[in-house]
Amino acid sequence: MKHVILSSALAVLATAVAAQDAPTPILFTNVNVWDGESDKLLENANVVVTGNLITEVSSTPLAVANAKIIDGGGRSLMPGLIESHVHVNLQHMLGGYDTIELRDWQEIGAMGAVTAQSLLKDGWTTIRDPGANAVGIKKVVDRGEMAGPRMYQAGGVISQTSGHGDFRLAGQRLLEERYTFKGYRLGFAYIVDGRDATLSAARQNLANGATFLKMMMGGGIFSTKDPLHTKQSSDEEIQAVVEAATQWDTYVTAHIFLPEHARRAIGFGLKEILHIPYLDVETAEFMVEKGVFYNPQLSQSSPDVLEATFGAEESVTKAKARVTQEAMQQTTKVIQQVPELLETMTFGADIVTNTKANALRTRDHEMWFWAENFGILPTLKAMTSNGGKLAALTGKNNPYPDGPLGVIKPGAYADILLIDGNPLEDITLLGASAKMFDAPERTAGDIPAMDLIMKDGVIYKNTLD
Ligand SMILES: [Zn+2]
């Protein structure tokens, strides 16, 4: 009997604690909802957030006990934005990859933190980092100790010797120096050859906190040892990385320059491809057929990029960028010819080695370029629901497993923006800019129509209070 009384007393206590700890629900009223997928808004709607999840979306008035009410005043309520190609530690690595070697790790990490913070200020509530290990910054953000977006991390890129991940300086000629250069010691890149070493690198990377894997399978701009045409990584090396990812229930993505290398990668089971500046119709249709995700950087075709990023002097990297710039014009046209590809395309500016001001300008212009060439709706979907679907490919390795991202519906994570105006009609409300480096300088967080930013149920900006 005594035992029963004690149990019921504990039950009462537990109920009291639960009531005390239950988060105050937030009720958004008088909002027009864009759900991340539809071609129109749900007008005059109400949205309930309980804890870190969206629990109700309704076009009829709702009464929610003890709720904090935010009157949206007719603003649009939409999903927080997803940037699927951010190199947190490289965005501000002025002077190119060589300067990794010259910088203190604290400076690199602190600038990475600045990048993460600035993205959330502009409404990017989730980012995906396909390489250069910012796993530590992610941990600090996820613990709630620093404001920043959710982060899907590839950790260190996996590259063959002389591949796009081989950032050793020109003078570091010994093979052993792959283990002493800072890019390796900071976990930015694994330079490995052969099946066994590649498999070990993939597994070590996952153990270190990578949620998906990125492999180098073609030439790249900022690396100096690999001409753009090069086919990188052997068949057995690719199979090793795919094997490790499959064992962890996640996916592999690849840096690709030529379309034949994209088809090769897809043949090995890759679920996503990056870049492909020489994309052709045949490859685009093959990607549609296979349902492969695609993340290109289209505003690289702007001639302004060359001067702003590389300066006036000629260099190996500038010459590579010039070729890429011309090729990207072809890619834009091919996407217009195969618009079905847009269904699996995600938005990612892939900004590296930029000033803070030019990084913002590049992303703003990339957004505008998409909308101008493919329409506003596909651009918005690429930045929300498509990004959420790509994030979900991390399977059981997903660091945010409790609901979908990039959509407004019951059960989704409460990552929410309130926009003064209709983004389906005007993409500039989200910061998109027709100008690139000649756009006026702005600072992160000063997008005027973005009145409220919520991530994980927590409000980070609110001009309505
Ligand atoms: Zn990249």
Side-chain angles (χ1 to χ4, degrees):
M1 190 61 196
K2 203 175 174 187
H3 174 75
V4 172
I5 291 169
L6 187 64
S7 299
S8 57
L10 280 174
V12 169
L13 187 65
T15 312
V17 169
Q20 201 181 23
D21 283 359
T24 304
I26 295 176
L27 170 60
F28 290 98
T29 62
N30 196 13
V31 289
N32 301 321
V33 173
W34 182 63
D35 64 3
E37 292 174 318
S38 168
D39 60 359
K40 49 184 170 306
L41 304 175
L42 177 67
E43 295 198 357
N44 199 14
N46 305 279
V47 175
V48 182
V49 170
T50 309
N52 65 345
L53 299 177
I54 295 167
T55 46
E56 203 163 355
V57 179
S58 171
S59 54
T60 53
L62 297 172
V64 181
N66 305 317
K68 171 185 162 74
I69 294 174
I70 297 177
D71 181 347
R75 286 173 179 76
S76 300
L77 183 149
M78 65 173 286
L81 303 175
I82 300 177
E83 225 290 13
S84 295
H85 203 137
V86 178
H87 295 286
V88 169
N89 282 321
L90 302 179
Q91 181 164 305
H92 299 129
M93 189 70 64
L94 286 177
Y97 289 175
D98 283 5
T99 59
I100 296 171
E101 205 66 15
L102 305 173
R103 281 171 211 235
D104 190 278
W105 63 268
Q106 294 177 11
E107 182 188 357
I108 296 171
M111 286 309 291
V114 168
T115 298
Q117 289 169 335
S118 75
L119 281 152
L120 182 61
K121 286 179 186 172
D122 281 344
W124 303 96
T125 51
T126 296
I127 64 168
R128 186 183 65 142
D129 185 336
N133 183 28
V135 169
I137 294 172
K138 173 190 180 295
K139 284 182 190 166
V140 175
V141 170
D142 285 352
R143 287 200 299 260
E145 291 168 341
M146 186 185 90
R150 301 175 194 280
M151 292 190 210
Y152 286 84
Q153 284 286 332
V157 297
I158 299 170
S159 167
Q160 65 172 55
T161 298
S162 84
H164 181 47
D166 189 343
F167 311 146
R168 285 174 299 160
L169 300 177
Q172 294 172 317
R173 304 178 70 87
L174 298 176
L175 274 175
E176 291 71 25
E177 284 170 295
R178 71 181 76 190
Y179 302 120
T180 54
F181 89 116
K182 197 178 279 168
Y184 177 81
R185 288 186 286 119
L186 295 179
F188 286 10
Y190 296 87
I191 305 175
V192 281
D193 302 296
R195 177 184 156 79
D196 291 352
T198 305
L199 185 61
S200 294
R203 289 175 173 166
Q204 184 63 51
N205 197 24
L206 289 162
N208 289 352
T211 49
F212 66 102
L213 298 175
K214 152 102 168 269
M215 199 169 192
M216 300 307 193
M217 297 190 196
I221 296 174
F222 280 97
S223 43
T224 52
K225 300 176 186 68
D226 57 331
L228 290 172
H229 68 270
T230 50
K231 172 176 161 182
Q232 297 183 12
S233 299
S234 69
D235 291 2
E236 59 178 11
E237 288 162 352
I238 298 170
Q239 283 163 336
V241 175
V242 171
E243 183 182 324
T246 306
Q247 287 174 338
W248 280 67
D249 195 37
T250 187
Y251 71 97
V252 181
T253 190
H255 169 98
I256 297 276
F257 196 80
L258 294 175
E260 57 264 39
H261 296 161
R263 298 197 297 277
R264 173 182 187 234
I266 294 163
F268 283 109
L270 265 72
K271 299 203 171 98
E272 199 223 7
I273 304 291
L274 309 169
H275 314 304
I276 331 180
Y278 278 111
L279 182 66
D280 55 27
V281 169
E282 181 197 356
T283 305
E285 287 175 343
F286 185 56
M287 291 165 78
V288 170
E289 184 193 318
K290 296 285 181 187
V292 170
F293 281 85
Y294 178 39
N295 182 268
Q297 289 65 46
L298 300 159
S299 66
Q300 279 178 359
S301 59
S302 167
D304 295 349
V305 171
L306 285 180
E307 293 299 310
T309 308
F310 300 92
E313 263 178 56
E314 270 308 313
S315 63
V316 174
T317 51
K318 189 175 178 183
K320 285 173 147 189
R322 185 176 291 111
V323 173
T324 308
Q325 176 210 317
E326 287 163 13
M328 269 294 170
Q329 293 169 10
Q330 173 177 320
T331 296
T332 302
K333 290 192 189 105
V334 168
I335 296 165
Q336 287 168 334
Q337 286 170 55
V338 189
E340 300 87 348
L341 187 56
L342 287 159
E343 289 299 318
T344 48
M345 278 172 61
T346 60
F347 179 90
D350 190 17
I351 299 159
V352 291
T353 78
N354 243 305
T355 63
K356 274 167 72 180
N358 280 350
L360 296 181
R361 287 169 169 147
T362 301
R363 193 171 285 111
D364 292 350
H365 185 69
E366 178 81 16
M367 195 192 294
W368 178 88
F369 191 95
W370 267 72
E372 185 71 4
N373 285 284
F374 314 131
I376 292 179
L377 181 62
T379 304
L380 290 175
K381 285 170 73 174
M383 298 193 299
T384 54
S385 54
N386 289 4
K389 286 175 193 160
L390 175 62
L393 289 185
T394 51
K396 294 191 183 81
N397 220 23
N398 191 342
Y400 313 106
D402 295 336
L405 292 166
V407 288
I408 302 293
K409 64 180 182 189
Y413 276 114
D415 294 358
I416 289 173
L417 307 178
L418 280 190
I419 305 297
D420 193 4
N422 182 356
L424 286 170
E425 291 171 358
D426 183 2
I427 192 88
T428 66
L429 297 171
L430 302 178
S433 168
K435 291 186 174 176
M436 198 172 191
F437 300 119
D438 51 351
E441 190 165 328
R442 73 171 186 87
T443 51
D446 65 356
I447 298 170
M450 200 175 282
D451 284 318
L452 182 140
I453 299 171
M454 170 185 276
K455 187 201 100 182
D456 210 36
V458 177
I459 294 171
Y460 288 88
K461 176 184 181 183
N462 185 2
T463 65
L464 305 179
D465 263 355

